[in-house]
Amino acid sequence: MTTTVDALPALPHWESTPPDLAAATREIKAALRARIAASGRTVEEVFAVVEQRVAARVAEIAAEKERGEQVWPVIDYADIAAGTVPAEALDKLRRRGCLVVRGHFPREQALAWDRDIVDYVESNRFFETYRGPGDDFFGSVGSTPEIYPVYWSPAQMQARQSDRTARVQAFLNARWRHEADGVRWFDPERDSLYPDRIRRRPPGADSGGLGTHLDPGTLDLWMTRAYQKAFRHLFDGTVEQYDPWDAAHRTAGPQYPGSTMCSAFRTFQGWTALSDMDHDQGVLHTVPIPEAMAYLMLRPLLDDVPDDDMCGVTVNQVFPADERWHALPLQAVTGIPDVQAGDSVWWHCDMIHGVDPVTGQKGWGNVMYIPAAPWCPRNEAYAASVREAFRTGSSPGDFPAEHYERTWPNRFTEAQLNATGRRGLGLE
């Protein structure tokens, strides 16, 4: 017989980074195991429920590949705009947690933006003043950067505040359950304007890619009160009720600071293609299984993991997904299909993802990163710092303090904001 959730032992929590990470890890793991045991279940039993769900998805994806079917859902922007997305496409999006939007922007518009970005950085002598990567999150290619720490170009801002982007973001936000426990956790119709960088990888480039990882947080996912509530079903004997699309408590809590953190809550991470890219040219891949997050959250509680280890997760580094601890979900790694300039690519914020390596890349590999980050208390707080960075041409708070654009005269200005841009910055 299971115990009621209210009667389960409370969990310790740390609302800022614990001073002794190893001690806090041992304490939280013991407390989580005790809470699961008090519910009348064992850690192994709860993990087996999740493992079975993930294994079923892995088998589905393997069968789709065997049949030569496209694993990634692909939806036309025109259907999103008209509200005519087929039910089977919506179901596949929910199961896979990722999406390519065909024709998000006209191809010529995207190619023009790509040219505009080149003009923008060259007119401001960026390559003469570039000081090398401000962090080691992404590598660089040759003597010029692959990731440009540029945020306020007219091209990026026009794409961010576009009505077309707002429609796609609202469509994606609506996949989530945003009202629960009597709280409206975010506004699906309004996005915060989350500035990010651009990537331009030239033809012929060799790139080592980016290993499989996640971006929603690190030890704070287990150790802060809000995330303990967000992942409550994994730890209170009701694992069958876990829903990766439930936003309850996701938008309320703090994150431990670090060079790889995202201060905003994103329903989906995303980028917009500024060049045509073939599926075998060093592109994004994911584990298209939203439920895999439950696997990663419970895996450290099994007996084969040292008591002071969370399967390699620690602060100030990305959340790793690797063969040692996560072999089952990694069987499902799947790359994006071919994309054209103007298409956009999206993946659930908890999704395991990486970038394939490439040698001698054919054609350009250019994207601008634009997520879906709906208006909520957490994003409203970050928007205040974004407004200041925008006005001064500074690098936003989540990124290295490089500030290349402060003196650039042709960056996007407040006078050029439309209503969507102003709302996204919290200006109205």
Side-chain angles (χ1 to χ4, degrees), residues 105-329:
F105 292 108
R107 183 169 181 272
E108 288 308 315
Q109 172 69 81
L111 294 173
W113 277 333
D114 192 46
R115 292 191 295 270
D116 289 348
I117 288 168
V118 173
D119 291 343
Y120 179 67
V121 297
E122 288 186 345
S123 69
N124 290 292
R125 299 178 60 80
F126 170 67
F127 297 112
E128 289 87 342
T129 59
Y130 178 64
R131 297 182 295 272
D135 60 26
D136 60 2
F137 193 86
F138 296 104
S140 61
V141 175
S143 60
T144 56
E146 178 178 326
I147 300 292
Y148 292 21
V150 169
Y151 306 90
W152 309 118
S153 69
Q156 288 163 287
M157 289 297 292
Q158 288 163 16
R160 288 174 191 143
Q161 69 172 7
S162 160
D163 288 346
R164 297 172 81 98
T165 294
R167 286 190 194 100
V168 173
Q169 288 167 330
F171 167 77
L172 293 168
N173 293 338
R175 301 312 106 204
W176 284 70
R177 185 158 68 103
H178 62 277
E179 293 190 31
D181 301 338
V183 177
R184 192 172 197 238
W185 295 100
F186 65 77
D187 180 353
E189 296 295 326
R190 177 185 180 184
D191 251 66
S192 60
L193 190 149
Y194 186 84
D196 204 333
R197 303 178 278 196
I198 56 174
R199 186 193 79 196
R200 299 193 83 253
R201 200 163 64 208
D206 297 339
S207 175
L210 200 59
T212 45
H213 66 282
L214 303 85
D215 295 328
T218 58
L219 293 177
D220 41 11
L221 300 175
W222 290 274
M223 293 184 179
T224 60
R225 179 176 282 169
Y227 276 121
Q228 289 169 356
K229 291 179 179 177
F231 293 110
R232 61 202 177 279
H233 294 302
L234 304 181
F235 308 128
D236 67 8
T238 60
V239 64
E240 287 83 1
Q241 296 177 39
Y242 169 72
D243 178 5
W245 299 98
D246 182 0
H249 307 284
R250 293 293 298 260
T251 62
Q255 271 204 296
Y256 294 165
S259 61
T260 61
M261 72 179 291
C262 175
S263 297
F265 168 68
R266 298 174 291 192
T267 55
F268 284 79
Q269 295 176 248
W271 51 253
T272 300
L274 299 177
S275 64
D276 300 342
M277 284 171 277
D278 291 343
H279 67 276
D280 59 354
Q281 296 301 303
V283 295
L284 175 82
H285 56 248
T286 68
V287 172
I289 305 173
E291 298 93 336
M293 189 66 191
Y295 186 104
L296 275 72
M297 292 295 294
L298 287 166
R299 184 66 183 85
L301 303 184
L302 295 184
D303 288 342
D304 62 336
V305 184
D307 282 344
D308 60 356
D309 183 16
M310 283 293 194
C311 296
V313 180
T314 189
V315 297
N316 216 30
Q317 296 178 22
V318 294
F319 187 132
D322 59 49
E323 287 287 342
R324 180 181 181 189
W325 304 119
H326 312 121
L328 173 63

